[in-house]
Amino acid sequence: MLLEVLDEDLLRQVRAALDEDIGSGDITAALIPPEQTATAAVICRDTAVVCGQAWFNAVFAELDSRISITWLVRDGDTVRNNETLCTLTGPARPILTGERTALNFLQTLSATATCARRYADTIADLPTRILDTRKTIPGLRRAQKYAVRIGGCDNHRSGLYDGILIKENHIAATGSIGQAIRNARDVNPGVMVAVEVENEGQIQQALAAGADHLLLDNFSLPALAAAVQTAAGRAELEASGGITLDSLRETARTGVDFISTGTLTKNIQAIDLSMIFDIQQQPESN
């Protein structure tokens, strides 16, 4: 997923966040003379993978085009405690107004990328790929999925519109796994069909009906290994449910093609960032 795809979504997110914070106006920044200028530096207080520069930049571009931002790192770079990420120069009022909104995007997307990097590095020597889920912060779906990619993991479907995942309630509503798959083929021919299965019997039913991808929900390690043997060459296999960083390698060693986890986007801890200001004093008028 490239930033070009995100442009329209990104601006919508930034404008909504600014409106949420500023409302009818920043009544604290109004205390500062409009001609006052400042420089500021963003400092990272954690070890983190940087992500979210485009959102950060867009916040200040929306507020005042005179603000200049110089980045010392790029999305995907790993930074350490007390490392400077960027500097800003321009009118003091809009820099102060945009500070929290810009840092919120940067701390959240960097947190997502940092978590994804930990997972990706843990099984970097194995062929299994790690996928995110739809368990994202409302309104930040595409942004977080971008951050997942920056961190080195992969994206599952973006939403309900671009992939079919048949789950237990869909099966109950249609009558059987086979009927659900046939309906999927009829309604959306050519779209990959994934089915969530919970036991060996459901695996056999899904394979017999021609499923492309099986999501193995809360399978034990021996059951995952057995499923790999059963489905070899017939469908992709994705392990999901209760998989932690500690159990990641053992799960990948069973031979599944994918491991999906909501942790990448929902169990994140915001990166600690600070914006340090240097207000430039204006000369006194005679």
Side-chain angles (χ1 to χ4, degrees), residues 30-250:
L31 304 176
I32 298 168
E35 68 277 5
Q36 186 80 54
T37 59
T39 60
V42 175
I43 312 297
C44 186
R45 305 300 186 186
D46 291 315
T47 295
V49 176
V50 176
C51 185
Q53 292 182 8
W55 286 262
F56 186 97
N57 292 345
V59 167
F60 293 105
E62 284 291 301
L63 292 172
D64 196 313
S65 62
R66 294 172 295 171
I67 298 171
S68 174
I69 303 173
T70 302
W71 284 95
L72 306 179
V73 296
R74 299 178 298 176
D75 275 4
D77 286 351
T78 298
V79 297
R80 310 296 176 188
N81 182 32
N82 289 327
E83 189 166 341
T84 300
L85 306 187
C86 68
T87 58
L88 303 89
T89 304
R93 275 189 182 181
I95 294 178
L96 288 164
T97 295
E99 174 187 5
R100 176 41 51 202
T101 298
L103 291 180
N104 282 351
F105 280 114
L106 195 61
Q107 72 186 20
T108 300
L109 298 183
S110 294
T112 304
T114 301
C115 183
R117 182 67 58 82
R118 291 193 194 104
Y119 273 72
D121 286 350
T122 298
I123 61 167
D125 58 325
L126 299 173
T128 302
R129 293 160 57 192
I130 301 170
L131 304 176
D132 56 21
T133 71
R134 289 166 46 240
K135 297 174 183 177
T136 53
I137 297 171
L140 289 181
R141 172 75 53 82
R142 290 184 180 179
Q144 283 197 287
K145 283 183 172 285
Y146 167 77
V148 165
R149 294 289 294 273
I150 288 295
C153 295
D154 292 292
N155 299 142
H156 212 297
R157 58 180 178 162
S158 295
L160 299 175
Y161 56 88
D162 67 338
I164 296 172
L165 175 54
I166 298 169
K167 306 181 94 170
E168 61 179 336
N169 289 335
H170 302 105
I171 295 167
T174 54
S176 69
I177 289 176
Q179 188 60 55
I181 293 174
R182 286 190 291 273
N183 290 354
R185 300 289 189 206
D186 290 341
V187 174
N188 288 285
V191 176
M192 186 188 76
V193 177
V195 182
E196 182 180 81
V197 295
E198 298 178 350
N199 53 56
E200 175 67 21
Q202 290 187 343
I203 290 175
Q204 295 293 351
Q205 293 175 51
L207 291 174
D212 302 303
H213 184 109
L214 303 184
L215 191 158
L216 308 170
D217 185 39
N218 286 299
F219 276 47
S220 66
L221 293 175
L224 287 175
V228 169
Q229 296 300 314
T230 299
R234 301 171 66 187
E236 296 176 333
L237 295 182
E238 171 190 344
S240 183
I243 300 168
T244 66
L245 201 57
D246 290 337
S247 62
L248 191 64
R249 282 191 67 82
E250 287 183 306

Side-chain angles (χ1 to χ4, degrees), residues 3-30:
L3 273 176
E4 288 81 357
V5 179
L6 291 169
D7 279 349
E8 183 177 343
D9 201 40
L10 185 155
L11 286 176
R12 185 164 52 247
Q13 292 164 351
V14 165
R15 287 167 179 165
L18 285 171
D19 180 64
E20 176 182 62
D21 202 30
I22 299 171
S24 60
D26 183 350
I27 59 176
T28 308

